[in-house]
């Protein structure tokens, strides 16, 4: 009996690591590597600042469209969608290794966003529902931070080797395919529904989560963090050109990795409501820091605080949603991803409007911080005790 439990535990950890690698590719590479490469693309004349902002916004638009399509992904075929998300991400990164017009680059980033959403929803469904390992959710979401940190440091290495942004994209595309080969066998290893005991434990809680406030709060969280996640290396490159901005971005990703476990523990100890309020409050401070000063300390602490909380928000909110999913007739994880995507589209558009008016990102950062504080206020109505 003990040996059976150990085998199941080892299988769960292995599945969680494989799911984490899927997010490392789909989110860390396909989505957030653009943040670190954008300064190089602008410097090389591949994109203007305006076209870069549009490409970022359309990428979030693709994420939104992908989350809508992901509503139709079922747990039993999530493994296939995980594989397609890796292949699609690799292909559309490889396309950026070609000298394309700005409009085509923008279109490529839109489609890449679709595959990023697929990776988030499919990997979550595969691990939490199909494999039944909801208790390994923190390890799953570590993949995003790992992908950000790994891609950022590879970009630093590529810059040191004086490689162009085209070769940076090609390097990441090839690595994405290698990671895809690593997880292939695991995705099709006994894909039957297992671990119902864990799902039952997740669903049975002392309080009931109100789904609508959770969705709305998650959308505001998407708006709140995305301006930092889009422009932090660009801001560092502008204000402190002597510092390699990719290192700051790597700190952002490194901070996200342990945060999934930390915030999972906080969630277990304090509950969804209080855990989210603390998380969003710290995140709001991190977002506002570059508006308070332009020293290396401000940027570094911002990377630590936002990097150390934004995936914590995902870990808490998506785990809470997975626990409440049995009370809905729709794919709640996909709806949550859609809400987050709406916030991520509004964020860069709002930032560009405010920057055009004030010629700085200060007002954009303050607005994003206020959005996070508002999300924290909405959390007050998140949990209702069962009668």
């Amino acid at each position: 009996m003990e040996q059976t439990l150990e085998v199941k535990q080892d299988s769960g950890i292995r599945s969680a690591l494989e799911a984490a690698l899927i997010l490392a590719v789909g989110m860390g590479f396909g989505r957030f590597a653009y943040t670190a490469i954008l300064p190089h693309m602008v410097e090389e004349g591949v994109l203007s600042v305006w076209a870069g902002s549009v490409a970022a916004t359309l990428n979030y638009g693709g994420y939104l469209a992908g989350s809508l399509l992901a509503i139709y992904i079922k747990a039993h075929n999530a493994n296939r969608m995980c594989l397609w998300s890796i292949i699609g991400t690799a292909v559309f990164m490889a396309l950026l290794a070609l000298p394309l017009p700005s409009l085509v680059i923008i279109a490529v980033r839109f489609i890449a966003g679709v595959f990023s959403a697929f990776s988030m929803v499919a990997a979550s469904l595969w691990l939490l529902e199909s494999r039944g390992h909801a208790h390994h959710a923190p390890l799953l979401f570590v993949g995003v931070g790992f992908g950000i940190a790994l891609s950022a440091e590879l970009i630093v290495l590529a810059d040191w080797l004086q490689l162009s942004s085209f070769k940076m994209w090609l390097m990441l595309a090839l690595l994405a395919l290698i990671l895809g080969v690593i997880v292939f066998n695991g995705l099709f290893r006994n894909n039957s529904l297992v671990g119902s005991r864990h799902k039952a434990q997740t669903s049975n809680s002392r309080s009931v989560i109100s789904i609508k406030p959770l969705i709305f709060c998650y959308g505001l969280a998407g708006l709140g963090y995305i301006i930092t996640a889009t422009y932090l290396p660009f801001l560092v490159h502008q204000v402190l050109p002597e510092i390699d901005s990719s290192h700051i971005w790597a700190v952002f990703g490194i901070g996200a990795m342990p945060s999934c476990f930390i915030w999972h523990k906080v969630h277990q100890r304090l509950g969804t409501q209080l855990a989210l309020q603390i998380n969003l409050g710290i995140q709001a401070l991190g977002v506002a820091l570059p508006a308070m000063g332009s020293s290396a300390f401000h940027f570094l602490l911002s990377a630590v605080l936002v990097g150390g909380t934004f995936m914590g928000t995902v870990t808490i909110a998506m785990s809470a949603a997975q626990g409440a999913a049995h009370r809905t007739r729709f794919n709640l994880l996909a709806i949550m991803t859609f809400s987050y995507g709406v916030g991520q589209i509004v964020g860069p558009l709002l930032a560009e409007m405010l920057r055009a008016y004030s010629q700085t990102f200060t007002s954009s950062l303050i607005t994003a911080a206020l959005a996070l504080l508002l999300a924290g206020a909405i959390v007050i109505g998140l949990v209702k005790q069962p009668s």
Side-chain angles (χ1 to χ4, degrees):
M1 181 67 177
E2 289 181 1
Q3 288 182 339
T4 302
L5 289 174
E6 287 178 4
V7 169
K8 286 184 176 180
Q9 185 176 9
D10 291 343
S11 175
I13 293 173
R14 178 179 173 182
S15 295
L17 288 171
E18 290 161 345
L21 288 180
I22 294 163
L23 288 190
V25 172
M27 298 291 291
F29 288 15
R31 187 113 184 271
F32 291 113
Y34 176 80
T35 303
I37 297 180
L38 178 59
H40 299 281
M41 297 177 77
V42 171
E43 196 171 90
E44 294 168 14
V46 177
L47 286 175
S48 65
V49 175
W50 179 84
S53 295
V54 173
T57 301
L58 264 291
N59 179 255
Y60 306 140
Y63 190 82
L64 185 67
S67 64
L68 282 174
L69 293 172
I71 291 173
Y72 301 101
I73 299 176
K74 303 301 181 183
H76 68 271
N77 61 13
N79 59 336
R80 293 181 179 83
M81 192 52 66
C82 287
L83 183 61
W84 280 112
S85 72
I86 291 176
I87 294 172
T89 297
V91 167
F92 283 92
M93 285 195 297
L95 285 175
L96 294 177
L98 303 174
L100 304 173
S102 294
L103 287 177
V104 177
I105 293 175
I106 290 169
V108 166
R109 290 304 297 160
F110 175 84
I111 301 173
V114 173
F115 284 105
S116 292
F118 285 171
S119 71
M120 173 60 78
V121 176
S124 299
L125 277 175
W126 179 69
L127 181 69
L128 307 182
E129 296 289 336
S130 180
R131 301 297 296 170
H133 298 301
H135 54 302
H136 285 311
L139 187 51
L140 161 69
F141 296 122
V142 161
V144 178
F146 173 72
I148 291 173
L150 178 60
S151 61
E153 287 305 318
L154 285 174
I155 290 165
V156 170
L157 175 63
D159 188 37
W160 181 74
L161 293 173
Q162 298 184 333
L163 300 182
S164 67
S165 62
F166 300 115
K167 292 180 179 178
M168 292 177 185
W169 283 116
L170 182 59
M171 174 181 63
L172 291 176
L174 291 174
L175 181 55
L177 288 176
I178 292 171
L179 294 178
V181 171
I182 292 173
V183 304
F184 180 82
N185 286 336
L187 286 173
F188 296 93
R189 178 184 65 248
N190 186 17
N191 196 51
S192 59
L193 290 171
V194 296
S196 57
R197 178 174 59 87
H198 295 299
K199 285 192 276 188
Q201 287 177 346
T202 305
S203 301
N204 296 328
S205 59
R206 289 173 294 176
S207 58
V208 178
I209 298 295
S210 298
I211 293 172
K212 288 182 180 179
L214 181 63
I215 294 171
F216 193 44
C217 164
Y218 200 51
L220 283 171
L223 187 156
Y225 97 95
I226 198 60
I227 294 175
T228 300
T230 302
Y231 296 109
L232 183 61
F234 184 76
L235 290 171
V236 173
H237 190 72
Q238 279 193 321
V239 178
L240 301 169
E242 69 277 8
I243 295 178
D244 193 324
S245 59
S246 293
H247 281 311
I248 300 291
W249 188 236
V251 170
F252 186 95
I254 291 170
M257 292 169 64
S259 75
C260 299
F261 295 99
I262 293 169
W263 288 108
H264 178 67
K265 290 295 184 183
V266 173
H267 186 200
Q268 286 183 320
R269 183 175 293 271
L270 301 180
T272 302
Q273 181 179 343
L274 188 54
L276 273 177
Q277 286 179 319
I278 296 171
N279 173 278
L280 293 168
I282 296 172
Q283 195 172 157
L285 174 61
V287 167
L289 272 172
M292 301 176 186
S294 56
S295 68
F297 172 79
H298 285 85
F299 287 119
L300 186 61
L301 187 56
S302 175
V304 170
L305 292 182
V306 182
T309 53
F310 90 101
M311 282 311 299
T313 309
V314 175
T315 301
I316 296 168
M318 291 292 271
S319 295
Q322 195 272 336
H326 67 286
R327 294 191 283 116
T328 65
R329 294 183 178 180
F330 49 84
N331 186 336
L332 183 56
L333 296 182
I335 294 296
M336 291 285 288
T337 303
F338 173 80
S339 177
Y340 209 58
V342 171
Q344 291 173 135
I345 289 178
V346 173
L349 289 174
L350 184 61
E352 189 59 32
M353 287 172 56
L354 293 173
R355 187 193 70 83
Y357 178 76
S358 63
Q359 299 303 307
T360 70
F361 280 102
T362 300
S363 56
S364 304
L365 293 169
I366 292 173
T367 301
L370 291 174
L372 289 167
L373 292 176
L374 178 58
I378 291 171
V379 169
I380 294 174
L382 185 62
V383 178
K384 54 185 179 182
Q385 296 298 328
S387 55

